[in-house]
PDB file of all heavy atoms in Angstrom:
ATOM      1  N   THR Y  17      29.272 -29.292   4.192  1.00 98.00           N
ATOM      2  CA  THR Y  17      28.488 -29.039   5.396  1.00 98.00           C
ATOM      3  C   THR Y  17      27.124 -29.691   5.227  1.00 98.00           C
ATOM      4  O   THR Y  17      26.794 -30.155   4.145  1.00 98.00           O
ATOM      5  CB  THR Y  17      28.386 -27.528   5.705  1.00 98.00           C
ATOM      6  OG1 THR Y  17      27.840 -27.346   7.008  1.00 98.00           O
ATOM      7  CG2 THR Y  17      27.579 -26.790   4.670  1.00 98.00           C
ATOM      8  N   ASP Y  18      26.344 -29.713   6.299  1.00 97.00           N
ATOM      9  CA  ASP Y  18      25.121 -30.523   6.290  1.00 97.00           C
ATOM     10  C   ASP Y  18      23.844 -29.789   5.914  1.00 97.00           C
ATOM     11  O   ASP Y  18      22.755 -30.333   6.047  1.00 97.00           O
ATOM     12  CB  ASP Y  18      24.949 -31.237   7.634  1.00 97.00           C
ATOM     13  CG  ASP Y  18      24.831 -30.287   8.812  1.00 97.00           C
ATOM     14  OD1 ASP Y  18      24.838 -29.051   8.611  1.00 97.00           O
ATOM     15  OD2 ASP Y  18      24.723 -30.782   9.945  1.00 97.00           O
ATOM     16  N   GLU Y  24      25.812 -21.862   1.971  1.00 98.00           N
ATOM     17  CA  GLU Y  24      25.736 -20.517   1.411  1.00 98.00           C
ATOM     18  C   GLU Y  24      26.368 -19.498   2.351  1.00 98.00           C
ATOM     19  O   GLU Y  24      27.044 -18.572   1.905  1.00 98.00           O
ATOM     20  CB  GLU Y  24      24.293 -20.132   1.113  1.00 98.00           C
ATOM     21  CG  GLU Y  24      24.203 -18.814   0.390  1.00 98.00           C
ATOM     22  CD  GLU Y  24      22.798 -18.452  -0.059  1.00 98.00           C
ATOM     23  OE1 GLU Y  24      22.000 -19.364  -0.358  1.00 98.00           O
ATOM     24  OE2 GLU Y  24      22.515 -17.243  -0.112  1.00 98.00           O
ATOM     25  N   ALA Y  39      32.721 -18.547  -4.688  1.00 98.00           N
ATOM     26  CA  ALA Y  39      32.470 -19.878  -4.134  1.00 98.00           C
ATOM     27  C   ALA Y  39      31.227 -20.431  -4.800  1.00 98.00           C
ATOM     28  O   ALA Y  39      30.277 -19.690  -5.056  1.00 98.00           O
ATOM     29  CB  ALA Y  39      32.290 -19.811  -2.624  1.00 98.00           C
ATOM     30  N   GLY Y  43      24.893 -29.459  -4.418  1.00 96.00           N
ATOM     31  CA  GLY Y  43      24.390 -30.525  -3.573  1.00 96.00           C
ATOM     32  C   GLY Y  43      22.892 -30.639  -3.705  1.00 96.00           C
ATOM     33  O   GLY Y  43      22.271 -29.902  -4.470  1.00 96.00           O
ATOM     34  N   GLY Y  53      34.331 -44.961  14.640  1.00 96.00           N
ATOM     35  CA  GLY Y  53      34.218 -46.407  14.563  1.00 96.00           C
ATOM     36  C   GLY Y  53      33.044 -46.946  13.789  1.00 96.00           C
ATOM     37  O   GLY Y  53      32.888 -48.154  13.646  1.00 96.00           O
ATOM     38  N   THR Y  70      48.328 -17.499  -1.846  1.00 96.00           N
ATOM     39  CA  THR Y  70      48.815 -16.726  -0.699  1.00 96.00           C
ATOM     40  C   THR Y  70      47.742 -16.471   0.348  1.00 96.00           C
ATOM     41  O   THR Y  70      48.055 -16.085   1.471  1.00 96.00           O
ATOM     42  CB  THR Y  70      49.384 -15.371  -1.159  1.00 96.00           C
ATOM     43  OG1 THR Y  70      48.367 -14.664  -1.881  1.00 96.00           O
ATOM     44  CG2 THR Y  70      50.614 -15.567  -2.042  1.00 96.00           C
ATOM     45  N   THR Y  77      41.608 -20.526   8.130  1.00 98.00           N
ATOM     46  CA  THR Y  77      41.273 -19.954   9.445  1.00 98.00           C
ATOM     47  C   THR Y  77      39.820 -19.489   9.463  1.00 98.00           C
ATOM     48  O   THR Y  77      39.087 -19.752  10.426  1.00 98.00           O
ATOM     49  CB  THR Y  77      42.223 -18.785   9.766  1.00 98.00           C
ATOM     50  OG1 THR Y  77      43.564 -19.296   9.830  1.00 98.00           O
ATOM     51  CG2 THR Y  77      41.856 -18.113  11.083  1.00 98.00           C
ATOM     52  N   ALA Y  86      33.358 -30.916  13.848  1.00 93.00           N
ATOM     53  CA  ALA Y  86      34.548 -31.083  14.684  1.00 93.00           C
ATOM     54  C   ALA Y  86      35.798 -31.229  13.815  1.00 93.00           C
ATOM     55  O   ALA Y  86      36.870 -30.727  14.168  1.00 93.00           O
ATOM     56  CB  ALA Y  86      34.391 -32.307  15.585  1.00 93.00           C
ATOM     57  N   TYR Y 102      40.944 -14.714 -15.857  1.00 95.00           N
ATOM     58  CA  TYR Y 102      40.226 -15.238 -14.686  1.00 95.00           C
ATOM     59  C   TYR Y 102      41.174 -15.376 -13.493  1.00 95.00           C
ATOM     60  O   TYR Y 102      40.847 -14.964 -12.381  1.00 95.00           O
ATOM     61  CB  TYR Y 102      39.578 -16.585 -15.006  1.00 95.00           C
ATOM     62  CG  TYR Y 102      38.819 -17.148 -13.825  1.00 95.00           C
ATOM     63  CD1 TYR Y 102      37.536 -16.698 -13.539  1.00 95.00           C
ATOM     64  CD2 TYR Y 102      39.396 -18.088 -12.969  1.00 95.00           C
ATOM     65  CE1 TYR Y 102      36.842 -17.178 -12.438  1.00 95.00           C
ATOM     66  CE2 TYR Y 102      38.708 -18.576 -11.878  1.00 95.00           C
ATOM     67  CZ  TYR Y 102      37.439 -18.116 -11.621  1.00 95.00           C
ATOM     68  OH  TYR Y 102      36.753 -18.592 -10.525  1.00 95.00           O
ATOM     69  N   GLY Y 107      43.200 -13.204  -8.149  1.00 94.00           N
ATOM     70  CA  GLY Y 107      44.242 -12.509  -7.394  1.00 94.00           C
ATOM     71  C   GLY Y 107      43.797 -11.138  -6.918  1.00 94.00           C
ATOM     72  O   GLY Y 107      44.028 -10.773  -5.768  1.00 94.00           O
TER      73      GLY Y 107
END
Side-chain angles (χ1 to χ4, degrees):
T17 191
D18 61 2
E24 187 174 329
T70 57
T77 298
Y102 181 81

